[in-house]
Amino acid sequence: MTYWFVYIARCSDGTLYVGIARDVAARIAQHDAGRGARYTRGRGPLRVLARRRCSSQGDALRLERALKSLGRDEKLAVAASRGKLARLAKRCVR
């Protein structure tokens, strides 16, 4: 079974980025090389603050959307607490 991951990363300028990937380390390397999302270009290196495994791409996309709708402080709180991330994921996934 192939899993998808949702991750929260901190850019070098202190901003936060939320994304999905099958291989988070490879995706972060793409961001750092300037081949990732447009937002992260020039903001590397990125540091992963949290990640959550999802069983499908759809579940990962729903969780990503929920995370992106949070404010910065809420994202940091979720990243700091596995429990908060798990509860958010439970509400988002099927």
Side-chain angles (χ1 to χ4, degrees):
M1 176 176 224
T2 303
Y3 293 106
W4 284 82
F5 294 87
V6 177
Y7 60 93
I8 301 172
R10 183 188 311 266
C11 300
S12 63
D13 65 358
T15 59
L16 301 176
Y17 179 79
V18 177
I20 70 169
R22 287 186 180 181
D23 182 345
V24 175
R27 185 65 177 149
I28 294 297
Q30 284 180 326
H31 287 302
D32 289 344
R35 296 188 317 270
R38 181 175 292 157
Y39 180 81
T40 61
R41 291 183 192 151
R43 296 177 192 260
L46 275 67
R47 187 170 69 92
V48 176
L49 302 178
R51 73 174 137 208
R52 173 81 182 184
R53 186 177 73 185
C54 297
S55 59
S56 71
Q57 184 179 15
D59 287 347
L61 288 168
R62 281 186 287 281
L63 179 54
E64 177 190 33
R65 182 179 304 144
L67 284 167
K68 285 184 173 185
S69 72
L70 300 177
R72 175 185 172 75
D73 291 339
E74 292 171 303
K75 286 177 192 166
L76 288 171
V78 167
S81 169
R82 282 188 177 184
K84 286 183 181 184
L85 184 54
R87 284 189 296 278
L88 183 61
K90 252 187 181 172
R91 290 195 318 244
C92 298
V93 299
R94 294 180 183 186

